[in-house]
Amino acid sequence: MKSNSVFLFVVFALSVLNVNTIFGQGRSTARNLPELQQEFVNLRFGMFIHYNIPTYMDEDWADPEASPTLFNPTKLDCGQWAKAAKDANMSYGCLTTKHHSGFCIWDTKTTEYNVTSSPFKRDVVKEYADAFRNEGLKVMLYYSILDTHHKLRPGYITPQHIQMIKDQLTELLTNYGEITALIIDGWDAPWSRISYDEVPFADIYRLIKSIQPNCLVMDLNSAKYPAEILYYTDIKSYEQNAGQHISKEVNSLPALSCLPINSSWFWKTDFPTTAVKDPKAMVNENIVPFNKVYCNFILNVAPNRDGLVDDNAVKALKEIGKLWKNEGPLPQLPPNDGPVISSNIAKFKPANSSWSNDMNIMDFANDDNFRSAWQSNKSVKQPWIEIDLGTEQPFNLITIAEGGQKSNIRKYRIEYMQNNEWKPLVNNGNEKKIKVDRFNQVWGSKVKIYVDEFVSPPAIAEIGVYNEMKH
């Protein structure tokens, strides 16, 4: 009995240790975000791998009702992908675990619309992660919030959808070892129209960090948000095919720029016989200049329907490896204001202001559109604008995003109303185009901004008021 008790205790202890290892990765060793951002840009160059059910449809956006029987890579070899990445002197890979049509290429318990329902049945995410680690490469994952198969789209989102997202991300972050970064797509983009309120960004962000605190959260949202601060992302991203281009002169944020080596993201039938992008251009026009401005370049290489990278792409990657190598850490990233992750409680709330131009009235300062702006009339000597939050509520962060090409506001003050009394909150000045002020939490029903010094009539594109929880 005694030996059995000891045996059972050892088994129990090992089980607890294993659970803690899986579900609490790094909790006691969570590192600060600037350190993780620096390590990310130091990676310099990686492989994006768009491989999912669209591979079998000659389309980047698959039919959401496409049968899982289409997915059958008879020669899948993730080791070949990893070797091709290594030959190019890449540092990591990133695989599309689920694209916009909702097909999951891992053994998920959340839906039958996954690889185990296909003739292939093997867990592609596991094979990819194992293969890249075997080559000494970091592992990142791509995940789409938009999911047309499961009707996770504007106007149809339910609590069950949000739970499915959380369950799927939990699987991906607990079953496949250390994930350096999670690249999220289809969220608050002009084409997906799923807001950070409908699928709450702060909740998802905190979930990811609770499981893997050192996993960077990277949302591909650059089409909407300005380049000067990290709105809803740990790393600023730029999709070149969508016309998003990083400034090679002034960028100072940790960033990622992505581009496919072929004409599109997922494999097409003409890829084996069509020239890929020039390796010299990938090095001289992308990797080298991007690295100089703290930007990591990720080049998409799409496996074919057999599950292999085509010969022309393999050859190009070898050429890149001959032309370029990672020479070590980049210069130290400049300090940044940190990511904004909470919902903007000022969005669409009633606004009032001093005299403004007729075509640029106060409503444009909190309409969730950075391309419109409230602008003060040139006759006003001390412009002001206020947002009515409706009821007293807590907040601890305010952002002021100026409109136009450059900053005009030099000094400003912020007050808040509590119990029908205006109280001072911020008295600040800087030449940044986007002002970020964090402070101890206050409760207020209104926020008022006074512009005390300016170069030309100030314009404000968006005012953000947030109650950020620790993460």
Side-chain angles (χ1 to χ4, degrees), residues 16-59:
V16 171
L17 177 63
N18 186 50
V19 168
N20 287 337
T21 300
I22 293 174
F23 288 96
Q25 294 182 44
R27 275 185 185 166
S28 61
T29 58
R31 293 152 59 214
N32 65 58
L33 183 57
E35 183 182 351
L36 296 169
Q37 291 169 329
Q38 183 70 48
E39 288 186 1
F40 176 82
V41 298
N42 289 347
L43 293 174
R44 291 179 180 255
F45 182 37
M47 178 185 282
F48 220 162
I49 306 159
H50 273 65
Y51 180 64
N52 203 288
I53 208 161
T55 303
Y56 299 86
M57 305 196 72
D58 226 34
E59 297 278 353

Side-chain angles (χ1 to χ4, degrees), residues 30-31 110 212 236 361 383:
R31 293 152 59 214
T110 63
Q212 292 209 32
K236 200 70 183 169
I361 59 175

Side-chain angles (χ1 to χ4, degrees), residues 196-197 200-202 232 341-347 465-468:
Y196 292 136
D197 300 319
F201 185 91
Y232 305 99
I341 69 165
S342 299
S343 293
N344 179 6
I345 61 177
K347 185 169 62 177
V465 180
Y466 314 89
N467 187 37
E468 296 239 299

Side-chain angles (χ1 to χ4, degrees), residues 268-320:
K268 305 293 183 292
T269 52
D270 67 340
F271 278 12
T273 56
T274 304
V276 298
K277 291 183 174 67
D278 178 30
K280 289 182 180 178
M282 296 301 95
V283 172
N284 297 326
E285 298 174 18
N286 292 274
I287 305 173
V288 172
F290 292 162
N291 286 177
K292 289 179 179 177
V293 288
Y294 313 105
C295 183
N296 188 320
F297 179 53
I298 183 167
L299 180 65
N300 187 74
V301 180
N304 60 33
R305 291 175 183 174
D306 287 333
L308 299 171
V309 176
D310 289 329
D311 291 342
N312 54 355
V314 169
K315 181 180 177 181
L317 292 172
K318 287 180 179 177
E319 285 299 311
I320 290 173

